[in-house]
Amino acid sequence: MSHEEYMREALKQARYAFAEEEIPIGAVVVLDKQIIARAYNQTERLRDVTAHAEMLALTAAANHLGNKYLTDCTLYVTVEPCVMCAGASAWAQIRRVVYGADELKVGFRRHGNLLHPKAELVRGVLAEECSALMQEFFVRKRK
């Protein structure tokens, strides 16, 4: 599968969040061309500020592998991770982070490179679709 195909899987997760009135961010973790974890934002449902899509996906991937280190994995997420999620991906030693839409207000890149030193960053995969979903969510929220 390509970056776009994996990002479409993350977008499916984001749509689940949207349907549950959560901020529509989705994530998947890939190892050896297989999705080993899927998640979406659940901060409202779980009443947990740390229940971001990336955090839940990293935990699910670690549980799947039985290892806290995800050194051969790629994290796909629909929106640029925040500082917390970027830091968690660094601690998990994620090999590659691929995201869709830039997050200019709370994205990690405002604070420098917070990913693992060996991690590759790929930005802008299906950015328009990822951004449109976020925009639609906040337009509806303001009504």
Side-chain angles (χ1 to χ4, degrees), residues 16 21 41 86 125:
Y16 294 142
E21 298 184 12
N41 272 2
V125 177

Side-chain angles (χ1 to χ4, degrees), residues 1 5-6 8-10 12-13 16 26-30 34-42 53-54 56-61 76:
M1 290 176 72
E5 291 169 300
Y6 291 122
R8 289 199 190 289
E9 292 298 317
K12 284 182 189 176
Q13 296 299 308
Y16 294 142
V28 297
V29 176
V30 174
Q34 297 283 351
I35 296 174
I36 62 168
R38 293 174 166 83
Y40 58 89
N41 272 2
Q42 294 186 48
E54 302 96 319
L56 297 173
L58 292 173
T59 298
Y76 288 85

Side-chain angles (χ1 to χ4, degrees), residues 46-115:
L46 299 177
R47 294 183 181 91
D48 179 356
V49 297
T50 69
H52 290 194
E54 302 96 319
M55 300 295 283
L56 297 173
L58 292 173
T59 298
N63 288 336
H64 174 83
L65 295 175
N67 189 346
K68 66 183 178 180
Y69 296 116
L70 306 175
T71 54
D72 295 321
C73 295
T74 299
L75 171 66
Y76 288 85
V77 60
T78 56
V79 176
E80 177 183 346
C82 69
V83 170
M84 173 182 67
C85 295
S89 76
W91 283 110
Q93 299 180 12
I94 283 281
R95 168 99 15 116
R96 180 181 304 111
V97 175
V98 179
Y99 73 80
D102 287 332
E103 173 44 86
L104 301 177
K105 293 181 183 174
V106 297
F108 80 90
R109 290 184 315 117
R110 294 181 60 211
H111 305 282
N113 183 15
L114 302 178
L115 303 179

